Amino acid sequence: MAEESVTLIGFWGSPFVLRVKWALELKVIQYQYVEEDLGNKSPMLLQYNPVYKKVPVLVHGNKPLAESLVILEYIDETWKQDPPLLPHDPYERAQARFWSRFVDEKSVPALMATFSKGGEEQQKAAQEVRESLKILEGGLEGKRYFGGERIGFADITIGLLGYWVRIVEETVGINLIDKELMPEFDAWIDDFLEFPVIKECMPHHDKLLYHSKAFHKILTSSST
Amino acid sequence: MAKDYGEVKLFGVVGSPFVRRVQIALELKGVKYTFIEEDLKNKSDLLLKYNPIHKKVPVLVHNGKPLAESLVIIEYIDEIWRNHPFLPQEPYDRALARFWSKFIDEKCLPPISKASFTACKEERDKGTEESLEALEFLENELKHKFFGGETIGIVDIAAGFIAFWLPAIEEAVGLKILTHEKFPKLSKWSEEYTNHVVVKENLPQRDKVVGFFKARYASIINASK
């Protein structure tokens, strides 16, 4: 079953696609990558993800899956080789799931608002991002990674914030990862993004920044 | 009766659909637990200590270790007490169960709220349209007696809001979303679920829930005048 073909449908700049790439690469799973044009979604994407019509979509054999967190758990359960993504202990597994949801439900919307809004709304959103990162820092509990000595599920799911937050900081000129306020989070992000497999998957920084600034310009000029 | 794996406490309020999810999960597995009723207008120190991030119910405390977020809690319960499993065996089926549970929280509940608790006709219409679209996906997913097959699974537990709270809201605010005509399978499933021997013992009193929503709706209408 695990030997059937694996296809990842994605977009080069998507942080959620990156989560899935990280998981596949860490476990050394062979897969085919298909780039999707989000401005002109393919019939294949709409067929495989009729509910959300988004990337990432993982297709294993002929079975499609959407939603990055769901895909990550599927990868972990189907390919049991090292490294395990979720911890073994049920309580720690629950905590990893809790942090992952927290990122998606609190940090991500606040980050998107920081990117797309202006004035007071933007400042408020930026403050929410900082607060959420500070809370996430608490989940590290002095360990090197959220997964302990090794990169785990929560590192992958939270890790997307690491580079995404920095791109937003550079695009809108607002500091979000405050080195003094959240030194451990800052250190973890640097460490995580330097890990070879993680680093190799990252989109090219300049390309991403260019794309981000262009998108930001469109958003902010259309609202005036 | 489930195996004894230590002390289990559930912090909650009787009217909350999210608390009831966890309660139903515990009851289906026959887990012994203590229910601690919270006053949400005056949250206890214990609740704030156990859930400092969200400060909400439900919170499950197992042998002194707290957990928040209903679906996270339910997966935890399923991993500790292995009887009456809530997730299928096969990884792909498990992934689908997780997908649909998330879908309920992200795509069904918000538009239902939007349609119901507003004085603005445009909001109501938009919310209704989005709710109908979302429920259509669930209708098509239902292939057996329950989403979990012949027995209740995690998707059924998550969808409890649709089975019990949605009809109560519809009655309270005068909305029609979950109809037999549009959703024959989902309507039948709602009846099966709410009449299940364990579930029906662990739902709040319907007239109280309707009354609560009526009051909430009335205050929104009054505030808009």
Side-chain angles (χ1 to χ4, degrees), chain A residues 115-174:
Chain A
F115 182 80
S116 61
K117 307 272 181 210
E120 229 179 86
E121 262 193 284
Q122 187 184 43
Q123 293 299 331
K124 188 165 179 277
Q127 184 55 19
E128 277 174 31
V129 173
R130 278 183 224 109
E131 281 166 8
S132 78
L133 297 182
K134 186 67 192 164
I135 289 172
L136 283 166
E137 188 183 61
L140 264 174
E141 293 167 338
K143 299 178 298 212
R144 182 178 181 189
Y145 297 115
F146 286 90
E149 280 309 299
R150 285 203 290 199
I151 285 175
F153 192 86
D155 297 279
I156 294 173
T157 59
I158 302 168
L160 72 77
L161 279 185
Y163 90 90
W164 193 2
V165 167
R166 286 188 173 155
I167 288 289
V168 172
E169 281 179 326
E170 285 186 81
T171 305
V172 305
I174 296 177

Side-chain angles (χ1 to χ4, degrees), chain A residues 1 49-53 63-67 69-70 73-74 77-78 88-91 93-95 97-99 101-102 104-106 135, chain B residues 51 53-54 56 65-69 71-72 75-76 79-80 89-96 98-100 102-107 137:
Chain A
M1 208 271 252
N49 189 4
V51 176
Y52 294 102
K53 306 178 177 54
K63 294 186 286 208
L65 270 180
E67 295 299 284
L69 299 186
V70 172
E73 291 221 38
Y74 175 76
E77 288 180 3
T78 305
H88 190 68
D89 174 70
Y91 187 72
R93 291 161 73 84
Q95 286 185 305
R97 289 179 179 129
F98 175 86
W99 289 123
R101 279 161 180 265
F102 180 82
D104 285 1
E105 287 165 22
K106 298 282 176 196
I135 289 172
Chain B
N51 190 3
I53 293 170
H54 299 297
K56 286 183 182 176
K65 293 194 288 197
L67 276 176
E69 297 300 286
L71 295 181
V72 172
E75 284 220 49
Y76 173 79
E79 288 178 10
I80 301 281
Q89 289 276 60
E90 286 301 311
Y92 187 68
D93 298 328
R94 291 163 73 82
L96 290 180
R98 288 181 178 122
F99 176 88
W100 289 113
K102 261 180 118 240
F103 174 80
I104 286 161
D105 279 355
E106 289 169 15
K107 291 286 172 186
F137 281 114

Side-chain angles (χ1 to χ4, degrees), chain A residues 40-57:
Chain A
N40 185 22
K41 292 176 181 177
S42 69
M44 177 179 67
L45 177 65
L46 300 178
Q47 180 203 347
Y48 283 146
N49 189 4
V51 176
Y52 294 102
K53 306 178 177 54
K54 286 183 182 177
V55 292
V57 169

Side-chain angles (χ1 to χ4, degrees), chain B residues 8-202:
Chain B
V8 180
K9 292 184 191 171
L10 173 60
F11 288 75
V13 294
V14 296
S16 159
F18 303 99
V19 170
R20 289 296 187 169
R21 279 178 179 176
V22 177
Q23 198 163 19
I24 286 166
L26 291 167
E27 295 278 350
L28 280 168
K29 288 192 188 264
V31 176
K32 262 194 163 140
Y33 65 99
T34 311
F35 185 83
I36 293 155
E37 178 88 22
E38 275 290 322
D39 175 2
L40 295 181
K41 295 201 188 87
N42 186 20
K43 292 173 184 177
S44 72
D45 291 339
L46 266 183
L47 177 65
L48 299 177
K49 169 182 144 184
Y50 284 140
N51 190 3
I53 293 170
H54 299 297
K55 305 178 176 52
K56 286 183 182 176
V57 290
V59 171
L60 190 84
V61 183
H62 184 207
N63 292 326
K65 293 194 288 197
L67 276 176
E69 297 300 286
S70 63
L71 295 181
V72 172
I73 295 170
I74 290 170
E75 284 220 49
Y76 173 79
I77 290 169
D78 206 35
E79 288 178 10
I80 301 281
W81 290 275
R82 307 297 225 155
N83 59 323
H84 197 306
F86 296 140
L87 282 166
Q89 289 276 60
E90 286 301 311
Y92 187 68
D93 298 328
R94 291 163 73 82
L96 290 180
R98 288 181 178 122
F99 176 88
W100 289 113
S101 310
K102 261 180 118 240
F103 174 80
I104 286 161
D105 279 355
E106 289 169 15
K107 291 286 172 186
C108 297
L109 269 49
I112 288 170
S113 251
K114 181 155 84 174
S116 314
F117 301 111
T118 179
C120 167
K121 183 175 187 302
E122 230 177 73
E123 281 277 295
R124 172 168 275 212
D125 289 343
K126 189 150 188 292
T128 302
E129 192 190 317
E130 286 168 11
S131 304
L132 291 172
E133 262 174 46
L135 292 186
E136 188 66 42
F137 281 114
L138 283 184
E139 173 80 10
N140 293 334
E141 264 320 290
L142 198 46
K143 298 180 172 82
H144 304 283
K145 183 176 175 186
F146 296 112
F147 287 98
E150 287 310 302
T151 56
I152 287 174
I154 193 170
V155 181
D156 301 280
I157 298 174
F161 182 90
I162 294 164
F164 181 81
W165 277 265
L166 174 56
I169 290 173
E170 287 174 313
E171 188 183 317
V173 313
L175 207 59
K176 262 183 151 35
I177 292 178
L178 183 62
T179 59
H180 275 271
E181 297 75 42
K182 283 208 173 86
F183 305 106
K185 290 194 278 178
L186 212 51
S187 301
K188 183 161 193 292
W189 165 83
S190 291
E191 283 161 40
E192 289 280 3
Y193 185 74
T194 51
N195 286 309
H196 183 277
V197 59
V198 171
V199 174
K200 73 176 179 203
E201 296 302 313
N202 291 287

Side-chain angles (χ1 to χ4, degrees), chain A residues 11-15 18 115 160 162-168 170-171 201-216:
Chain A
F11 172 69
W12 68 271
S14 161
L18 190 57
F115 182 80
L160 72 77
Y163 90 90
W164 193 2
V165 167
R166 286 188 173 155
I167 288 289
V168 172
E170 285 186 81
T171 305
C201 292
M202 302 271 289
H204 193 256
H205 173 266
D206 294 348
K207 184 180 177 189
L208 198 56
L209 185 60
Y210 178 82
H211 175 82
S212 176
K213 284 185 167 166
F215 186 43
H216 185 250

